[in-house]
Amino acid sequence: MAVAETDLTASDVVWDLAPLLPAPDDEGLAALLEQASARAEELAAFHGRVAEFDSAQLAAFVEGLAEIHEFIGRAGSYVGLDFAADTTDPARGPRMQRVEEQATQISTKLLFFELEWAELPDEQADALLADDRLAFARHHLRSARRYRPHLLTEPEEVVLTEKSVTGRSAWQRLFEEQVSTIEVTLDGAPAPLEAGLARLHAPDREIRRAAADAVTAALAPGLRTRAFVMNTLLADKATDDRLRHYASWIADRNLSNEASDESVAALVDAVRRRYSIPQRWYALKAKLLGLDRIADFDRMASVADVDSPIGWHAARDLVLDAYGSFSGELADTARKFFDGAWIDAPARPGKRPGAFCAYTVPSHHPYVLLNWTARRRDVLTLAHELGHGLHAYLAREQGVFHQSTPLTLAETASVFGETVTFGRLLGEVTDAQERLALLASNLEDQIATVFRQIAMNRFEDAIHNARRNEGELSVDRIAEFWVETQHDMLGEAVEITDGYRTWWSYIPHFIGTPGYVYAYAYGQLLALSVYAQYEARGSGFVPQYLDLLRAGGSMAPEELGKVVDVDLADPEFWDRGLDIIERRLDETVAAAKSAGRLS
Ligand SMILES: [Zn+2]
């Protein structure tokens, strides 16, 4: 059955951002920022007096902070989302920058609060937090004190914050600008780096090899500059960590994730112990592609090119159906996203690539951005981002300080919804090749999220420690660490070509958010283990799961885990999620056999 053109493009599925503002456009933005600024002025009068607060005064002050967050959050969400919808509009970028700068000015005035709050003795803070008027911010305020041993004096903090604009942030921006100008030559014409990387999915090996060569060639100019930026930021972090007394390069990231150093080390070990999963898959993939052994540039190759398009309405029904099979309440909430213009679906020129969900503010509702291309994996992306949206929506009662979950739990609802939807999607596919393709692409997503990110974490671990022990790292030395840590994960199953040695040099996370990448694996495996609970217990699990979503970030991760009987301290905890991935690998092998692709 043919699918109508608008149903394929979803061209009429656009969001309505206007309700974020009290008045249209600039007038509304100005009003919000004025309100935020006026309120910040009032609160700034308490500079130096936080230690004298009783619990009523503290509650009033923190409510004031919440109001400011609300004003700034509405303005920031509006300009950020509006920019994402069209990054080439010359008016939108500067407007976003202007709002961000004003917001930073406002929050700088209130920097004293966290510092003074962290300075209070534990007994005094505990006594204040015991008051139920502070329940709405209790976990937030308690966890804000976790940086206590690492904070410097207020004048030192002010200097660091102000100088970071021309220090770390400037280096990060230079890297971003360098990477965004990288041009790949494809078919004799210049193209963006993404276009080169996208060709690695091509079924034809020669196209993949040529694309990989083009990417390698494109990464050569400026490589030493990017390596210098990397070195500078590695050294900058070493200085910060020394001044702030962090025991290791990853310790501040773990603290910000509210994850213990032990749980992160256990995660890394558990994933490394199962490196056999990607190795088994890539050995099988070589057979599917008719090769003795695949090379790094073959890893993304599609194993079957049989993706029949799916219309927006069919996708919507499938996702709502999947959520409905689990919980009527979730399906009803998900429907609001479609009926209320909370989604911007079509892929348009100038629109930000990829997909995301924006929480905005608790008094409003979340938005979802997609780049819909009517592929089956787009259906999973829709289910994934709706999962984030449902989490945000159910947790909005928690208010601004507790709506967002810690990073490590942020993927729970998205991966859960995606997994339920995947089951439905798989159930609908009757063609053996298509079934294999769907399973293989899901397995590869899991490998990319869990194994690839842990291998990248090992790379980060190696370069941070080496910069501290060996001094500045040459381009070659960085490449050695990159190849070594990739080889650990891929084993003999994948040939790492010479060209691949520089492919660390465009990845933004190493520069922008050091230590971040393990959180992908952490979140994915945590979410899969929550899903394993549902598999084991069926519908009896649903009320607990909804409680978990409603709790947002009002508790520490271990406490949130307990809401659904997940024990993060259990040394075997990580294996439950890894077992699900291994099972997906087994299913993929079975599907390859049914499709007649393996003897
Ligand atoms: Zn996500």
Side-chain angles (χ1 to χ4, degrees):
M1 194 173 56
V3 186
E5 182 63 24
T6 51
D7 199 23
L8 286 181
T9 58
S11 54
D12 52 348
V13 183
V14 288
W15 58 30
D16 181 11
L17 301 177
L20 276 167
L21 301 183
D25 297 316
D26 286 343
E27 191 193 329
L29 291 170
L32 286 169
L33 290 167
E34 261 161 48
Q35 281 171 294
S37 178
R39 200 74 181 84
E41 218 48 74
E42 287 168 30
L43 295 188
F46 292 95
H47 192 163
R49 291 167 53 192
V50 175
E52 301 156 20
F53 280 167
D54 63 21
S55 51
Q57 288 165 319
L58 179 61
F61 186 92
V62 179
E63 274 161 21
L65 290 180
E67 283 170 48
I68 294 169
H69 273 289
E70 168 81 21
F71 297 138
I72 290 180
R74 279 182 179 262
S77 298
Y78 182 88
V79 292
L81 294 172
D82 190 47
F83 176 72
D86 185 359
T87 61
T88 54
D89 178 345
R92 297 187 197 198
R95 184 165 66 179
M96 180 173 70
Q97 186 71 22
R98 198 181 67 227
V99 169
E100 273 173 13
E101 282 172 13
Q102 289 179 27
T104 307
Q105 266 176 23
I106 292 168
S107 19
T108 308
K109 280 187 202 146
L110 301 167
L111 212 59
F112 71 90
F113 173 72
E114 280 211 15
L115 295 167
E116 292 182 34
W117 168 246
E119 269 168 24
L120 295 192
D122 285 342
E123 313 77 63
Q124 191 182 348
D126 287 345
L128 288 165
L129 290 179
D131 192 315
D132 269 342
R133 279 174 291 191
L134 280 155
F136 73 101
R138 187 176 287 143
H139 176 67
H140 169 76
L141 289 173
R142 187 164 285 146
S143 66
R145 290 171 55 81
R146 71 193 189 277
Y147 295 105
R148 198 168 173 225
H150 307 290
L151 291 174
L152 306 176
T153 64
E154 195 185 327
E156 288 170 332
E157 290 291 347
V158 168
V159 170
L160 284 182
T161 304
E162 295 210 8
K163 294 296 282 181
S164 76
V165 178
T166 46
R168 186 197 309 134
S169 306
W171 288 107
Q172 288 167 336
R173 180 164 156 200
L174 174 64
F175 184 88
E176 260 173 51
E177 291 192 358
Q178 291 274 307
V179 169
S180 65
T181 60
I182 291 174
E183 274 189 350
V184 185
T185 307
L186 296 175
D187 310 321
L193 179 62
E194 285 76 39
L197 295 171
R199 284 207 184 179
L200 299 173
H201 293 279
D204 182 338
R205 188 168 205 220
E206 288 321 305
I207 292 180
R208 294 197 298 273
R209 190 199 302 277
D213 288 345
V215 168
T216 300
L219 292 176
L223 180 60
R224 286 191 55 181
T225 307
R226 297 199 301 284
F228 180 73
V229 173
M230 174 87 102
N231 267 292
T232 304
L233 288 167
L234 292 174
D236 182 72
K237 184 158 192 338
T239 306
D240 272 2
D241 287 346
R242 176 170 51 77
L243 293 174
R244 294 185 183 282
H245 308 292
Y246 284 109
S248 73
W249 74 275
I250 193 77
D252 73 321
R253 178 62 56 192
N254 294 346
L255 197 62
S256 94
N257 288 345
E258 299 182 57
S260 67
D261 293 347
E262 294 75 29
S263 78
V264 174
L267 159 75
V268 170
D269 287 345
V271 173
R272 293 178 77 189
R273 275 200 304 273
R274 306 286 283 271
Y275 272 176
S276 59
I277 295 175
Q279 291 172 16
R280 224 183 108 204
W281 165 243
Y282 290 124
L284 173 71
K285 184 156 189 173
K287 287 187 195 164
L288 293 173
L289 296 175
L291 302 169
D292 291 335
R293 178 157 92 125
I294 65 167
D296 50 79
F297 57 80
D298 294 317
R299 276 182 296 164
M300 317 287 283
S302 41
V303 294
D305 196 18
V306 283
D307 202 355
S308 49
I310 179 163
W312 174 257
H313 290 97
R316 182 197 60 191
D317 293 348
L318 191 133
V319 171
L320 289 176
D321 211 43
Y323 275 109
S325 73
F326 177 72
S327 150
E329 183 183 344
L330 284 187
D332 290 343
T333 309
R335 205 165 279 118
K336 293 180 202 275
F337 282 75
F338 295 97
D339 298 343
W342 301 0
I343 304 178
D344 196 83
R348 286 186 304 264
K351 181 170 165 177
R352 222 195 89 161
F356 65 80
C357 168
Y359 271 42
T360 74
V361 288
S363 62
H364 196 60
H365 58 73
Y367 287 97
V368 164
L369 176 140
L370 303 170
N371 275 279
W372 178 256
T373 59
R375 305 264 163 198
R376 288 195 191 270
R377 59 180 306 134
D378 293 343
V379 183
L380 297 175
T381 305
L382 170 63
H384 181 104
E385 299 308 333
L386 272 178
H388 283 302
L390 294 170
H391 204 165
Y393 192 77
L394 291 185
R396 74 195 189 293
E397 302 284 313
Q398 296 290 347
V400 68
F401 296 113
H402 292 163
Q403 184 187 24
S404 303
T405 51
L407 183 63
T408 45
L409 267 106
E411 293 302 328
T412 312
S414 55
V415 169
F416 196 102
E418 191 182 335
T419 309
V420 175
T421 304
F422 182 78
R424 290 258 146 168
L425 203 55
L426 197 62
E428 282 198 349
V429 172
T430 48
D431 179 77
Q433 300 298 336
E434 202 157 341
R435 191 181 157 79
L436 168 62
L438 195 59
L439 278 162
S441 85
N442 185 266
L443 175 62
E444 291 188 333
D445 286 346
Q446 308 271 8
I447 289 176
T449 308
V450 174
F451 295 97
R452 183 172 153 78
Q453 304 300 332
I454 291 301
M456 296 212 287
N457 164 274
R458 293 296 82 199
F459 169 66
E460 284 192 289
D461 185 71
I463 56 173
H464 278 280
N465 288 322
R467 180 65 186 80
R468 290 168 192 214
N469 301 325
E470 300 172 14
E472 187 161 314
L473 306 173
S474 67
V475 168
D476 245 7
R477 188 79 179 118
I478 299 174
E480 267 170 41
F481 288 125
W482 175 245
V483 170
E484 222 170 82
T485 49
Q486 290 289 312
H487 181 75
D488 278 346
M489 170 190 48
L490 301 168
E492 297 311 313
V494 178
E495 178 200 352
I496 298 175
T497 60
D498 266 355
Y500 194 64
R501 292 171 65 80
T502 58
W503 285 41
W504 58 269
S505 71
Y506 68 84
I507 297 174
H509 297 88
F510 301 147
I511 298 297
T513 41
Y516 184 88
V517 291
Y518 81 74
Y520 288 110
Y522 196 119
Q524 180 80 6
L525 290 177
L526 200 157
L528 287 177
S529 75
V530 172
Y531 185 78
Q533 289 279 48
Y534 169 53
E535 278 186 326
R537 298 184 28 215
S539 57
F541 174 70
V542 175
Q544 265 175 291
Y545 179 69
L546 295 181
D547 283 345
L548 172 69
L549 299 192
R550 282 193 202 97
S554 58
M555 293 177 252
E558 292 92 87
E559 300 300 310
L560 287 167
K562 282 181 198 154
V563 175
V564 286
D565 300 322
V566 161
D567 180 7
L568 295 177
D570 176 356
E572 279 159 39
F573 164 73
W574 301 107
D575 281 303
R576 282 193 206 111
L578 288 160
D579 288 344
I580 293 186
I581 301 179
E582 184 138 34
R583 221 166 61 215
R584 180 91 354 117
L585 172 57
D586 294 336
E587 285 174 286
T588 312
V589 175
K593 285 184 179 149
S594 308
R597 299 280 297 274
L598 284 179
S599 45

